[in-house]
Amino acid sequence: MTNIVTQIADKVRPVGVASNYGDPVEVGDSTLIPVSVNWYGFGGGSDADEDGAGGGGGGAVALPVGAYVRRPGQDLTFEPNVISLLTVSIPVIWVAGKVLVKLIRALKK
């Protein structure tokens, strides 16, 4: 099983920057370079028994965060994907609120 996990890791490792930055796309007179945040996870397992029990799995997430935009006569600018930023910020704000409530309760004691 570890051989399979190593093989998968070797195939994913070289993807790197290519998975975070897409190919430039021409839209009218502008050039867009999409940007995303990606992460992968893989796991494997086995059992010492001789019945061949084992398991494995994997998964990936890609979050589009925006695009670099080059327009004629202007500098390269980054334009964020507002929907993705809101999607990510809502759980962060919720967790920060829970931590703040617990911190205030601890300081009152």
Side-chain angles (χ1 to χ4, degrees):
M1 184 60 81
T2 58
N3 190 21
I4 293 172
V5 174
T6 305
Q7 289 175 0
I8 292 172
D10 289 340
K11 290 184 188 287
V12 173
R13 189 176 301 125
V15 174
V17 173
S19 66
N20 291 327
Y21 297 95
D23 294 328
V25 177
E26 298 289 331
V27 178
D29 59 351
S30 300
T31 303
L32 304 174
I33 302 171
V35 180
S36 66
V37 174
N38 304 304
W39 58 92
Y40 308 92
F42 298 98
S46 64
D47 194 354
D49 294 340
E50 293 182 18
D51 62 357
V61 174
L63 179 67
V65 294
Y68 284 104
V69 180
R70 181 180 300 275
R71 294 184 178 96
Q74 295 182 1
D75 291 335
L76 183 68
T77 58
F78 180 77
E79 296 185 8
N81 180 347
V82 179
I83 295 171
S84 291
L85 292 175
L86 287 173
T87 303
V88 171
S89 66
I90 289 170
V92 170
I93 292 170
W94 182 80
V95 169
K98 290 290 190 179
V99 169
L100 187 60
V101 166
K102 289 185 182 216
L103 181 64
I104 291 172
R105 285 184 184 161
L107 290 175
K108 283 185 176 181
K109 291 182 180 181

